[in-house]
Amino acid sequence: MSRLAPPDPEFLPGIRVDTTYTPRGSLPVVTLFHPHAHTRNVAAGTAMLAIASALGLRYGRHFPRTGQCIYNIRQYWALDYGHPGDALNFFPPDPVWPHVVRGGEGCFLAVSLEHEPRPADEVRILTGRVALRDRAPREWWRAG
């Protein structure tokens, strides 16, 4: 997969996070989606594809290891999605979730190219398994 330009930072606040657990409840599944991402909205779909590309995700629901990490920074979770000086931030969906991620040393990550977290078509979702790190290798938050 070729590297795409990162999405405009103004696009990021619209991203939604859906969380579930694997059938045995061993690892959480985090799915990123945007309400405007669908087959007729090329810009939103391209931005979500850029995030998936930066994270090393692959098409389909196979969840291969990516070598990427999810970071716990100041009580929120962050993904390095390839934008210089910024990270994709989201709060944990429930108080148990961070403990499950720590216990499993990571989570399954998916990016939906549709306006919903679970598209029916395999080519409309990209997945991978990311590790957990308690500290980020660099600071992403901006001063001010």
Side-chain angles (χ1 to χ4, degrees), residues 10-32:
E10 296 300 317
F11 177 79
L12 297 178
I15 292 177
R16 304 291 182 259
V17 178
D18 178 79
T19 59
T20 58
Y21 292 93
T22 55
R24 290 175 284 166
S26 60
L27 281 180
V29 179
V30 176
T31 303
L32 307 176

Side-chain angles (χ1 to χ4, degrees), residues 35 49 54 60 66 96 104 113 115 129 132 142:
L49 188 59
T66 66
V96 175
L113 300 180
H115 63 282
R129 182 172 176 179
L132 170 73
R142 296 178 184 172

Side-chain angles (χ1 to χ4, degrees), residues 32-49:
L32 307 176
F33 66 102
H34 196 284
H36 297 137
H38 50 73
T39 54
R40 289 181 297 271
N41 189 327
V42 176
T46 300
M48 295 304 286
L49 188 59

Side-chain angles (χ1 to χ4, degrees), residues 77-100:
W77 297 89
L79 289 164
D80 183 355
Y81 68 100
H83 194 283
D86 199 6
L88 180 61
N89 307 320
F90 59 92
F91 288 95
D94 62 60
V96 175
W97 191 82
H99 302 291
V100 174

Side-chain angles (χ1 to χ4, degrees), residues 124-144:
R124 303 296 295 164
I125 193 162
L126 293 98
T127 63
R129 182 172 176 179
V130 296
L132 170 73
R133 296 290 178 262
D134 281 330
R135 293 191 182 137
R138 59 190 174 97
E139 289 188 7
W140 282 307
W141 48 87
R142 296 178 184 172

Side-chain angles (χ1 to χ4, degrees), residues 27-28 70 100-108 129-132:
L27 281 180
I70 184 172
V100 174
V101 174
R102 281 190 188 98
E105 298 181 356
C107 67
F108 295 116
R129 182 172 176 179
V130 296
L132 170 73

